[in-house]
Amino acid sequence: MSGVWIFDEHGVVRLITNPTRESFEQKEPPNPGTATAPGARPRVLVYLPANQVIRSYPELEQRLTELGWTRYPNSCRPDLLQFHRSENSVHLISLPKNFANLKSFQMYDIVVKNRSFFEVRDPAA
């Protein structure tokens, strides 16, 4: 991945791909849940076998369940939805409770753990 890594006021690092001057000046992305960094283009998660754009958690949960993922009940983090492969697996997908807050790095986490089933695209593609 290429781009510019910056630290916010809390010491959290984030990658700005294709940086613009505006991307450094903005605090929040214009389309929450669709961009990694302020000023970045929005992204969508696509389920490849059906060429389906995932637009909600029920759609995503259905596809993940078909691939062997189960919802992980985590009472310690009620702000997250978590999915795991099995009791013996270290693979865990953690997502914000609100689908509108889904960021592209979380979409890429889904893609990496399900390589031939999901892809992140520009919405116009």
Side-chain angles (χ1 to χ4, degrees):
M1 283 193 273
S2 63
V4 177
W5 291 93
I6 63 168
F7 289 89
D8 68 12
E9 63 275 358
H10 303 293
V12 177
V13 69
R14 61 191 169 105
L15 174 66
I16 298 181
T17 56
N18 304 322
T20 62
R21 185 166 161 209
E22 293 80 19
S23 66
F24 289 104
E25 293 169 354
Q26 286 182 299
K27 291 285 183 195
E28 293 298 320
N31 301 310
T34 59
T36 300
R41 292 186 310 258
R43 302 278 192 249
V44 293
L45 182 65
V46 177
Y47 180 67
L48 293 174
N51 200 29
Q52 172 194 13
V53 175
I54 302 296
R55 301 186 189 280
S56 67
Y57 277 137
E59 292 177 3
L60 178 60
E61 187 167 3
Q62 175 191 356
R63 298 305 185 180
L64 289 175
T65 301
E66 291 170 2
L67 298 172
W69 292 87
T70 56
R71 190 96 169 257
Y72 182 74
N74 187 351
S75 59
C76 297
R77 292 296 309 264
D79 58 323
L80 294 178
L81 288 179
Q82 294 184 310
F83 298 90
H84 66 106
R85 280 258 193 215
S86 70
E87 296 297 329
N88 301 327
S89 174
V90 297
H91 289 89
L92 184 70
I93 297 173
S94 296
L95 307 170
K97 192 86 166 179
N98 185 347
F99 189 79
N101 295 331
L102 186 66
K103 306 288 187 208
S104 62
F105 75 88
Q106 292 155 328
M107 294 179 194
Y108 283 112
D109 187 37
I110 294 168
V111 169
V112 166
K113 293 173 180 164
N114 301 280
R115 287 198 187 271
S116 56
F117 294 97
F118 288 98
E119 183 177 81
V120 176
R121 295 183 188 162
D122 288 331

